[in-house]
Amino acid sequence: MCSQFLNTQSAVQAGPNDMSTEQKELTQTPLLKIWVPGMGSSLGQRRGSSRPQFTNCPTMIVMVGLPARGKTYISKKLTRYLNWIGVPTQVFNLGQYRREVVQTYKNYEFFRPDNEDAMKIRRACASSALKDIANYFTKEQGQVAVFDATNTTRERRGVIISFAKERGYKVFFIESVCDDPEIIEANIMQVKLSSPDYENYDKEEALVDFLKRIDCYKLSYVPLDEEKDRHLSFIKIFNVGSRYLVNRVQDHIQSRIVYYLMNIHVTPRSIYLSRHGESELNLLGRIGGDSGLSSQGLKYAKALAEFIRGQSIKDLKVWTSHMKRTIQTAEALGVPYEQWKALNEIDAGVCEEMMYEEIQATHPEEFALRDQDKYRYRYPKGESYEDLVHRLEPVIMELERQENVLVICHQAVMRCLLAYFLDKSADDLPYLKCPLHTVLKLTPLAYGCKVESFYLNIQAVNTHRDRPTNVNIARKTEEALQTVPEHQ
Amino acid sequence: MVRSVRFVILTENETKRHRTADIYRHIFILSLSLCLMAVCMTNCPTLIVTVGLPARGKTYISKKLTRYLNWIGVPTKEFNVGQYRRECVKIYKSFEFFRSDNEEGLKIRKQCALAALNDVRQYLSVEDGHVAVFDATNTTRERRATIMRFAEQNGYKVFFVESVCEDPRVIAENIVQVKLGSPDYTDRNTEEAIQDFMKRIKCYENSYQPLDEDLDRELSYIKIMDVGQRYLVNRVLDHIQSRIVYYLMNIHITPRSIYLCRHGESDLNVRGRIGGDSGLSPRGKEFAQCLGRFIQDQNIKDLKVWTSQMKRSIQTAEALGVPYEQWKTLNEIDAGVCEEMMYEEIQEHYPLEFALRDQDKYHYRYPKGESYEDLVQRLEPVIMELERQENVLVICHQAVMRCLLAYFLDKSAEELPYLKCPLHTVLKLSPVAYGCKVESIYLNVEAVNTHRDKPENVDISRLPEEALLTVPPHY
C-alpha cells in the first residue's frame, strides 16, 4: 500500500526562518537516486534518514488471548509482513523465555494459577522480555515489537501499558477470541504437539495436557472490554476473522496492521510462482525490455499448461504482468487470467535491454554501486528492489485474500514475492534463485511456508548473476563481469 | 475477465509499423479496467446499505464512499431516499410526516424506498454499475429484510454500513452543517429547524433496531461508532468490501485543509518539454520563495509537506525551510519514449500516438510509459494517507495534481486529464458539508502555461497544424 514512505528524507534547514535567496544546489545521491541539497561528489553518502516514517515513535503490539488462539501465528505473520514492507519488527515470544529458564517442561501444573513458584518465574520472564523490547527500540533501531504472550489479565496488561507509557511507546493490542472447539483442536494438532514442550509426550497425552493448560488460564481471563478498555487501541478478532472489533486506531502503521489482519485467512491453499517462459532477450543476455517468448519459452508455456492441469487445482486464479512474455505464457494455459501492471519487471531505466557487458562498458560506476547494495540501488531513471516491494504490496495483500493462485511474473518480481513468503531479508532478496522454467509451489504450513520446486524439464538460459567478489568502483572489467551467466 | 490477446489482434487494424509489443499496449488502451480493481471486481454487483438515525453521517459517508470508488475505477452511484421523498412530497411541512403512526407518511416513504430500489436495479443490472449505495435510515429489521430479499432476487451482494453516535455535540454540529441547508428547511429559521429536526430523529428512535452481533451474525457489515472511535466489522466477503472497510476506517471529519500545488516553473517547462527531471528556472525559484512566505502567512497548524522524488518539487520544498517527505508515487506521469520531448516533436515522431492520446487522454498509455489511469492506481495510497492526515501541502506535478484534484472535486475520467492546474498557483481544499471548498491562490510569479486543451481534430489522419493547434506557447 504505501511505498511512499520508503526513501523518505526529512530535510531540516539550518535556520527555521532562513528565507535567503541563496538556494543550495541539489545533487542526486548515487545509490538511491534521491535529490538532496548541497553535497559534495562523494559517492554513497546520504543525508538524513531514509527510514520509512510510518509512525513517529516505536510501537508495541501486544497479543491477548487464551492458548491455541493463533497468537503466535498472527505474531509471526504480521512481523514477516512488516519487515517486508520495510518496518523493522521483531517478535518476543514469552513461551521461549520460559523454556530457556525452565529447561524441561513437566506438565500443565506449571500454569496453575496457584503455583507461586511458577508465577514468579513467569513474571520474571515477562520483565526480561520487556527489557529486551526496550533494548530493541533504543539500541537496535527497531520500530515495532510484537509481544507474543497470553496477556489475559488486566493486571498484566496494566504492567505493559505503564512500561510503554514511561518510555513513550505506543501500544496496540491484538486479541484473538475463539470458542470453536474444532478450530482449537486443529490448532493444537498443527503447532502445539510439535512444540519442544511435548517432545516426550505421545499425541493423546499432549492434547489432554494442553487442554488442561488452557483451563488454567480460563479462570483469570479478562478479555478486552468495549467499555472498560475504551481508551486503549486494539483489534479483537473473533473466530478466525468472521468478526472484528477495532478501537481507537492511532496512526498509519496501526491502520495498515488492521487492514492486513482483516485480509489474512487460514483456509488451506497453494500459491504457484513462476516466471514467463524464456524470452528472446533472455537468450541474448539482455535485461528488461518487452520481448516475446523464444521457442524454448513457448515449449515451457505448453509444459506449464500440462503441469497445471495435472495439479487439478480448485478454482485457480491466474495472474500475469502487462508484459508480452508473461501474457504469452498465460495464453498457453487456455484459462482466464488477469493482468497486473504492478507485476511488471523492475524498470532498469537507462540500462533497459542492455547486456551486463554493455552496462559495465557504459556505466561502470552504476554497475559497481548495484553490486554494493543491490536491494536499495535504483537504476538511473529506473527502479530499485526497494521500489519494487512497494509496488508489489497490493499484490501481496490480494494474494493473502485469495486462495489458489498462479502468478506468472519476472525474476526480480518473483524474488520480492518469494522473500515475503519465505521471510528473506533485504540482503538475501535480490539474490534468491528464481530460474526460468521452474514453478515454485508455496503452501502455508504451521507458522511458515512449505516450498516445492518443479523444474518442467525445458532447457533455458540461466539469468542469475551472483554478487561478484570485487564490488569496488575501481575494479577491473573482468572482475565486474566475473559472475555474468552465459548467453548467445 | 478474460484478457485474450488473440481477440484484440483480430480487431486491431493498426498500421504495419507496430511492433507486436505495441499491439499489446493497445489492448490496454481498449480494455478499460486493467487497474488493480479489475483483479477483484466482484462478479456480482454490490449493494451498500446505510443504517442509522438521522444526522449520523450516512449521506456524508455515502457521498464520500461513492466519490472514492468512482475515482479508483469502480462505477458507483448513490441513491438517497430522502431525495425521492422530496420529489414525491413537494413541500415538507414538519416532523409529523415521520411519525410512526402516520399511515399516509409511511405509505409514501415505503413507495419512495421501492422506487429507489428500482433505480438501483436499473443501475446495477441494466447500466454498467458495479456498486450502488442505498442511502436511507433503514433502521428497522423489517426494512432491511425487504432490501435483502430484493438483493437476493437480483443477485447482488449486500454490505451494511451503520453509523451509531450518541454524542449530542456531534449530532448538533451535523444538523447545523447539513440539515439547516436542506431543501426541507428553506422556509424555517435556525431555531425552528433544529427543533423540528430533533423531533424528527425522535420519530425514528423508538423503532430503531441496530445491527445486532448475534441476530445479524450472518450479514456483512461495518458498524461505525462515535465517528470512527470504534468499528465492528462482520463477515467481509470480498475485495471490494475489504477496501471499503479500509477506506471508512481511514476517513475522519476533523476540520483541516489540503494545499495542492505544482513545483515551481522548471527549465524544461520553459522550453515546452514534457517530463524529465530538470531543476527550477529563475522564476520557479522565485515561486518557491513566495510559497514559503505564503505558507508562513497561512499559519497552518502542524503542516505536513509532501513532495515527489523529482528535483523540481524537492527544490521547491527546500525553500520552505521545513521538514518534508518524499514520495516516489507522487512522481510525474512517465511519458515513456516521449520523455523530454516538445509536443511538436511528439507530433513529428509519433503522430499516431499523439492522436490516440487526444482521443482518450485518460486511458492512453505512452509507449514504455504510463496512462492517467495508471497514475490513479499509483496515487491511491497517497489519497488514503491524505484522508488520514490533517493539514498537508502536496508539491507535485501537473498530471498528478489533476488526479488528486479529481478525487477531491469528484471529476470524471473524461474531465480529469483536462483540469486546469497552472504553475505558481496553490489550491486550498477544505472539506465543507458534503463536498470540498476550493480556493485558488495565484502567487503572482509569472510562468509559462503548460495546459494543452483537446484539439478539435483528434483523427489519426489530421494535419500537424490541427494536432498542434492547442499547444501552449514556449521558448
Side-chain angles (χ1 to χ4, degrees), chain A residues 123-155:
Chain A
R123 247 180 258 129
C125 287
S127 303
S128 181
L130 287 178
K131 222 176 89 189
D132 285 351
I133 288 175
N135 202 47
Y136 177 62
F137 286 147
T138 48
K139 306 227 177 67
E140 295 176 44
Q141 270 103 48
Q143 280 203 333
V144 176
V146 183
F147 189 51
D148 177 18
T150 50
N151 297 316
T152 38
T153 61
R154 187 157 275 126
E155 183 221 342

Side-chain angles (χ1 to χ4, degrees), chain A residues 1 4 9 13 17 35 226 242-244 246-248 252 255 263 324 337-338 340 378 398, chain B residues 3 6 20 39 213 229-231 233-235 239 242 250 277 296 309 318-319 324 327 381 385:
Chain A
M1 282 259 79
Q4 60 285 4
Q9 204 137 4
Q13 294 288 45
N17 295 311
W35 288 102
E226 259 186 71
S242 65
R243 193 159 77 244
Y244 305 91
V246 181
N247 198 63
R248 286 194 187 265
H252 178 90
S255 168
N263 281 319
K324 185 175 177 180
Y337 58 91
E338 292 173 75
W340 291 61
R378 192 187 275 171
E398 191 53 24
Chain B
R3 308 267 181 266
R6 240 171 278 122
T20 358
V39 171
E213 262 185 59
Q229 290 283 27
R230 198 156 78 242
Y231 304 90
V233 180
N234 199 62
R235 291 196 185 271
H239 177 92
S242 167
N250 281 318
D277 196 10
Q296 271 215 327
Q309 285 189 351
E318 276 289 318
Y324 58 91
W327 294 54
E385 191 54 22

Side-chain angles (χ1 to χ4, degrees), chain B residues 124-266:
Chain B
L124 294 180
S125 301
V126 179
E127 297 169 28
D128 277 313
H130 281 252
V131 176
V133 183
F134 189 64
D135 176 20
T137 50
N138 299 316
T139 39
T140 61
R141 190 154 277 124
E142 184 215 342
R143 169 58 57 83
R144 296 196 289 268
T146 307
I147 298 171
M148 288 194 293
R149 267 194 306 274
F150 163 82
E152 207 179 326
Q153 280 164 3
N154 289 285
Y156 307 150
K157 282 186 189 170
V158 180
F159 188 74
F160 292 97
V161 176
E162 180 173 28
S163 173
V164 174
C165 180
E166 294 313 315
D167 186 340
R169 286 167 305 175
V170 174
I171 297 165
E173 179 59 31
N174 217 331
I175 295 175
V176 167
Q177 269 237 342
V178 292
K179 299 300 177 185
L180 302 187
S182 149
D184 289 347
Y185 293 110
T186 34
D187 301 324
R188 306 289 188 91
N189 71 43
T190 308
E191 262 314 301
E192 289 176 348
I194 294 180
Q195 288 273 356
D196 184 271
F197 200 83
M198 298 298 261
K199 291 204 185 110
R200 200 153 118 179
I201 298 178
K202 273 258 170 307
C203 296
Y204 285 90
E205 267 175 10
N206 293 334
S207 54
Y208 181 23
Q209 294 164 303
L211 289 170
D212 183 81
E213 262 185 59
D214 284 305
L215 297 171
D216 296 309
R217 64 182 340 155
E218 298 299 320
L219 302 183
S220 296
Y221 65 84
I222 177 172
K223 215 192 237 280
I224 305 171
M225 294 169 270
D226 293 318
V227 204
Q229 290 283 27
R230 198 156 78 242
Y231 304 90
L232 183 65
V233 180
N234 199 62
R235 291 196 185 271
V236 170
L237 292 180
D238 59 19
H239 177 92
I240 188 83
Q241 291 180 15
S242 167
R243 293 285 284 278
I244 289 166
V245 164
Y246 185 44
Y247 181 71
L248 292 177
M249 283 177 33
N250 281 318
I251 60 180
H252 68 79
I253 54 169
T254 312
R256 50 80 172 254
S257 290
I258 294 169
Y259 297 79
L260 299 181
C261 80
R262 290 168 65 188
H263 52 81
E265 183 192 69
S266 74

Side-chain angles (χ1 to χ4, degrees), chain A residues 56-69:
Chain A
N56 33 16
C57 53
T59 302
M60 276 184 68
I61 296 180
V62 181
M63 304 302 300
V64 179
L66 293 172
R69 262 61 176 177

Side-chain angles (χ1 to χ4, degrees), chain B residues 30-79:
Chain B
L30 296 176
S31 51
L32 295 183
S33 36
L34 278 159
C35 61
L36 171 62
M37 280 321 300
V39 171
C40 347
M41 279 303 185
T42 46
N43 321 350
C44 48
T46 301
L47 179 59
I48 297 177
V49 181
T50 63
V51 179
L53 294 172
R56 263 59 176 181
K58 298 183 301 299
T59 301
Y60 175 80
I61 290 169
S62 299
K63 286 185 183 268
K64 211 168 156 75
L65 188 56
T66 300
R67 178 160 58 88
Y68 169 71
L69 291 173
N70 277 311
W71 186 76
I72 60 172
V74 182
T76 306
K77 194 169 175 192
E78 29 137 10
F79 298 82

